[in-house]
């Protein structure tokens, strides 16, 4: 495939679409804005196709592993569960018009398996955080000491027991979150936005080509 | 440098208390965490909640000031992991909206948040699509995919999904019949409930349509919401504490209030352990610098 087809045409399509969408923000024209809104909805459609593609690829890779007689019992169970859920959801939707999101079996799977599993993993974090805080949270330098003091104050300020010990924890926590944290978080958000804009400009102008795949 | 790095904490000689503090087996920490969290859950201590957060009060007062019939949008984006902290708050806010006679429209931004909307309907108004006020005061739009893109489409046209979570036509519902714009301009407040960032809601509802945002997030993510407070975010609930505060405000103490004792003692245990660990570290370091062994 020529370089024009492989590289230049995708960049031209991307740049044209990008300028078109930028124009939607700057111009107030109903027809133009309506076309831009339609273009945005394409993202959802592409996302849906990406899900279908990933499910197909996952199944293909898994079948290949089974053919090579690898031990894949656990992932086979997960894959069968996934396909059962998909097939059941499609069946209920096709014949009874029920959305999978409120359908009984789907909800039961979420309530019975996904929710407890997710909540368990998150709860276990409490033990790791406690252990890591005990072993690693050391006042090794001035910066670490400031961080340590702020962390302890915010913890005690956010827990009722802190206020029961000393009433000063709450106002100190409010100051840390309202002033120090807000200033720091805003800097991080603004830096990330500027970096994102710079990255987008590079992509639109064709300097950044990693989105086109390997070798480009 | 830690004690191991200093190269003197070796051999069969007896270890000092400071040295032992540095090398405490993590299993003891786990055991302590289990004890301080389990006991208050089994037998509540009743630690007072203390001063109400201004963020929680801000949201409560804003909702309280809305005239009956105002439309608010509730975005469920909490994962099951964060639900322990967030869901009681969402129930309390929904209860407040019901008490105030507001109209509430729900949607879930992630598939695993859908059951939490059903849960809210059942626990607060007793039923879902078969409730007499469903379609008049309450609507469940179900799952709307693609986060920001989905919200953009909804903001431009509240009826864009055409059907609710139960397959009912939105255009036939009394809920939407008297809305003048049928877009985000009709919303008086959007409440984001979730484990991730609130940025996309502010970007798509506050900036273009002027809709104020409220919220509730897991405690570890509260720092992400502060930059928008109080200009764009009128108030929010921080983790379990925020949920507990709102439960108290709407006079509906529930799971969050019950869980606060456990959280308080858990926090206290961690703080004490960190202080002990640092005492061990400081004394050990001083002795090394002074040329002495502990």
């Amino acid at each position: 495939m020529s370089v024009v087809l492989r590289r230049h045409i995708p960049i031209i399509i991307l740049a044209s679409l990008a300028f078109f969408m930028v124009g939607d923000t700057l111009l107030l024209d109903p027809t133009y804005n309506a076309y831009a809104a339609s273009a945005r909805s394409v993202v959802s459609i592409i996302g849906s196709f990406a899900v279908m593609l990933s499910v197909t690829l996952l199944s293909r890779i898994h079948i290949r592993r089974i053919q090579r007689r690898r031990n894949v019992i656990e992932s086979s169970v997960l894959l069968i569960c996934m396909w059962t859920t998909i097939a059941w959801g499609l069946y209920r939707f096709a014949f009874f018009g029920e959305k999978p999101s409120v359908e009984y079996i789907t909800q039961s799977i979420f309530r019975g398996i996904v929710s407890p599993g997710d909540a368990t993993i998150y709860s276990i974090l409490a033990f790791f955080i406690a252990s890591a805080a005990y072993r690693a949270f050391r006042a090794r330098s001035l910066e670490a000491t400031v961080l340590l003091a702020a962390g302890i104050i915010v913890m005690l300020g956010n827990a009722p027991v802190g206020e029961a010990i000393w009433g000063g924890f709450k106002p100190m926590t409010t100051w840390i979150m309202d002033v120090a944290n807000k200033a720091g978080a805003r800097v991080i958000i603004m830096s990330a936005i500027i970096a994102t804009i710079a990255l987008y400009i590079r992509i639109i102008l064709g300097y950044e080509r990693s989105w086109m795949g390997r070798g480009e | 440098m830690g004690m191991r790095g200093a190269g003197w904490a070796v051999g069969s000689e007896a270890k000092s208390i400071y040295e032992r503090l540095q090398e405490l087996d993590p299993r003891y920490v786990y055991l302590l965490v289990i004890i301080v969290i389990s006991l208050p859950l089994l037998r509540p201590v009743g630690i007072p909640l203390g001063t109400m957060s201004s963020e929680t009060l801000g949201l409560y007062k804003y909702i309280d000031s809305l005239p009956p019939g105002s439309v608010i949008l509730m975005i469920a984006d909490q994962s099951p992991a964060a639900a322990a902290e967030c869901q009681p708050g969402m129930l309390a806010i929904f209860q407040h909206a019901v008490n105030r006679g507001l109209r509430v429209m729900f949607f879930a931004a992630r598939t695993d948040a859908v059951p939490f909307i059903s849960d809210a309907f059942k626990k607060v108004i007793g039923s879902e699509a078969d409730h007499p006020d469903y379609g008049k005061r309450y609507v469940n739009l179900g799952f709307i995919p693609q986060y920001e893109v989905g919200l953009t489409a909804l903001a431009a046209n509240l009826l864009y999904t055409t059907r609710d979570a139960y397959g009912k036509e939105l255009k036939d519902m009394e809920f939407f019949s008297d809305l003048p714009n049928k877009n985000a301009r009709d919303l008086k407040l959007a409440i984001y409930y979730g484990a991730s960032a609130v940025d996309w809601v502010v970007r798509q509802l506050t900036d273009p349509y002027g809709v104020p945002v409220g919220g509730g997030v897991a405690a570890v993510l509260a720092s992400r919401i502060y930059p928008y407070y109080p200009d764009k975010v009128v108030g929010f609930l921080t983790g379990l504490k925020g949920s507990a505060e709102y439960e108290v405000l709407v006079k509906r103490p529930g799971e969050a209030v019950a869980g606060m004792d456990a959280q308080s003692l858990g926090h206290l245990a961690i703080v004490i352990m960190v202080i002990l660990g640092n005492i061990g570290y400081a004394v050990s370091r001083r002795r090394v610098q002074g040329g002495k062994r502990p």
Side-chain angles (χ1 to χ4, degrees):
Chain A
M1 210 191 302
S2 70
V3 177
V4 175
L5 270 176
R6 252 186 316 122
R7 189 183 297 171
H8 295 166
I9 289 181
I11 290 175
I12 290 168
I13 293 172
L14 179 104
S16 315
L17 277 169
F19 284 119
F20 178 74
M21 296 310 289
V22 169
D24 177 50
T25 312
L26 302 174
L27 301 172
L28 274 176
D29 178 65
T31 316
Y32 188 98
N33 299 144
Y35 277 118
S38 302
R40 270 197 296 274
S41 64
V42 170
V43 177
S44 304
I45 298 165
I46 292 172
S48 308
F49 275 98
V51 171
M52 286 160 62
L53 188 69
S54 56
V55 166
T56 315
L57 282 175
L58 179 69
S59 305
R60 274 180 60 185
I61 291 168
H62 193 76
I63 289 165
R64 210 173 294 157
R65 281 185 181 168
I66 291 172
Q67 283 169 343
R68 289 176 187 167
R69 297 179 188 284
R70 289 189 185 166
N71 187 16
V72 284
I73 302 258
E74 298 89 347
S75 44
S76 295
V77 171
L78 290 176
L79 201 75
I80 290 166
C81 289
M82 182 188 79
W83 272 111
T84 310
T85 316
I86 291 173
W88 178 259
L90 287 174
Y91 165 74
R92 297 295 297 184
F93 179 71
F95 294 101
F96 301 95
E98 287 183 26
K99 271 191 176 182
S101 58
V102 291
E103 199 274 321
Y104 177 73
I105 295 283
T106 315
Q107 286 222 25
S108 301
I109 290 170
F110 272 105
R111 284 178 189 281
I113 301 171
V114 179
S115 294
D118 202 11
T120 304
I121 296 294
Y122 191 67
S123 308
I124 289 171
L125 273 179
F127 297 98
F128 294 146
I129 288 170
S131 174
Y134 176 71
R135 285 181 288 126
F137 224 7
R138 296 280 184 265
R140 290 191 169 88
S141 61
L142 179 65
E143 293 86 347
T145 310
V146 171
L147 184 69
L148 180 67
I152 289 176
I153 290 168
V154 171
M155 275 182 86
L156 289 173
N158 276 335
V161 73
E163 213 171 339
I165 295 168
W166 181 51
F169 283 126
K170 184 71 190 171
M172 285 168 82
T173 299
T174 308
W175 185 88
I176 289 170
M177 295 305 282
D178 260 3
V179 180
N181 169 74
K182 195 184 276 187
R186 275 189 177 152
V187 169
I188 292 169
I189 291 171
M190 286 164 78
S191 311
I193 290 169
I194 291 168
T196 310
I197 292 170
L199 179 68
Y200 287 169
I201 290 171
R202 280 178 60 82
I203 291 172
I204 292 168
L205 297 178
Y207 292 116
E208 175 67 48
R209 292 195 290 269
S210 55
W211 60 276
M212 297 168 79
R214 278 180 294 179
E216 292 299 327
Chain B
M1 189 187 286
M3 289 170 55
R4 282 183 185 149
W8 43 260
V10 291
S12 57
E13 296 167 46
K15 291 179 179 176
S16 73
I17 180 79
Y18 305 109
E19 207 171 357
R20 286 175 193 278
L21 272 176
Q22 294 282 292
E23 295 171 0
L24 188 69
D25 192 323
R27 284 175 295 185
Y28 292 118
V29 178
Y30 298 162
L31 184 67
L32 180 68
V33 172
I34 284 183
I35 292 169
V36 296
I37 288 176
S38 310
L39 288 183
L41 285 174
L42 296 170
R43 195 182 174 86
V45 185
I47 299 169
L49 279 180
T51 315
M52 197 70 68
S53 312
S54 60
E55 301 87 24
T56 308
L57 267 177
L59 183 60
Y60 179 82
K61 284 180 182 168
Y62 192 86
I63 293 178
D64 222 40
S65 69
L66 291 174
S70 301
V71 179
I72 63 172
L73 174 69
M74 298 269 260
I75 305 166
D77 189 25
Q78 66 266 45
S79 64
E85 291 185 73
C86 294
Q87 183 66 1
M90 191 165 99
L91 296 177
I93 292 175
F94 186 32
Q95 180 70 63
H96 192 198
V98 170
N99 295 348
R100 294 276 312 137
L102 307 179
R103 282 187 274 183
V104 191
M105 187 163 69
F106 283 90
F107 86 83
R110 50 190 297 162
T111 48
D112 48 359
V114 174
F116 297 120
I117 300 178
S118 304
D119 185 58
F121 273 99
K122 283 176 188 160
K123 285 186 177 160
V124 175
I125 60 172
S127 58
E128 293 181 72
D130 48 346
H131 189 274
D133 280 336
Y134 185 84
K136 295 176 191 164
R137 286 174 57 190
Y138 320 114
V139 173
N140 177 7
L141 297 178
F143 170 57
I144 293 182
Q146 297 292 343
Y147 287 94
E148 191 157 356
V149 177
L151 184 64
T152 312
L154 184 74
N157 177 13
L158 294 180
L159 304 168
Y160 106 100
T161 55
T162 68
R163 287 173 189 270
D164 70 353
Y166 312 101
K168 295 180 179 175
E169 288 275 359
L170 297 182
K171 63 179 169 55
D172 300 334
M173 290 183 182
E174 200 181 312
F175 188 98
F176 300 95
S177 60
D178 63 337
L179 298 183
N181 305 299
K182 307 277 192 294
N183 62 26
R185 285 184 214 290
D186 298 327
L187 301 175
K188 293 286 182 256
L189 179 68
I191 297 169
Y192 168 77
Y193 247 88
S196 55
V198 72
D199 313 53
W200 54 285
V201 183
V202 171
R203 210 156 40 217
Q204 295 306 328
L205 292 180
T206 313
D207 294 342
Y209 298 98
V211 182
V213 175
V217 288
V220 290
L221 291 161
S223 57
R224 295 283 296 272
I225 212 167
Y226 269 97
Y228 302 104
Y229 173 77
D231 302 329
K232 296 181 177 182
V233 171
V234 293
F236 60 97
L237 312 186
T238 303
L240 196 67
K241 173 128 193 288
S243 296
E245 288 172 343
Y246 215 93
E247 283 182 351
V248 170
L249 284 170
V250 295
K251 299 179 179 60
R252 192 179 187 272
E255 289 173 23
V257 170
M260 279 315 291
D261 279 346
Q263 198 194 53
S264 274
L265 294 182
H267 277 54
L268 190 64
I270 291 175
V271 168
I272 290 170
M273 283 190 293
V274 169
I275 291 170
L276 282 177
N278 272 282
I279 290 171
Y281 172 74
V283 174
S284 304
R285 193 171 67 167
R286 192 167 297 162
R287 290 187 177 183
V288 171
Q289 284 168 348
K292 292 183 208 165
R293 292 207 42 188

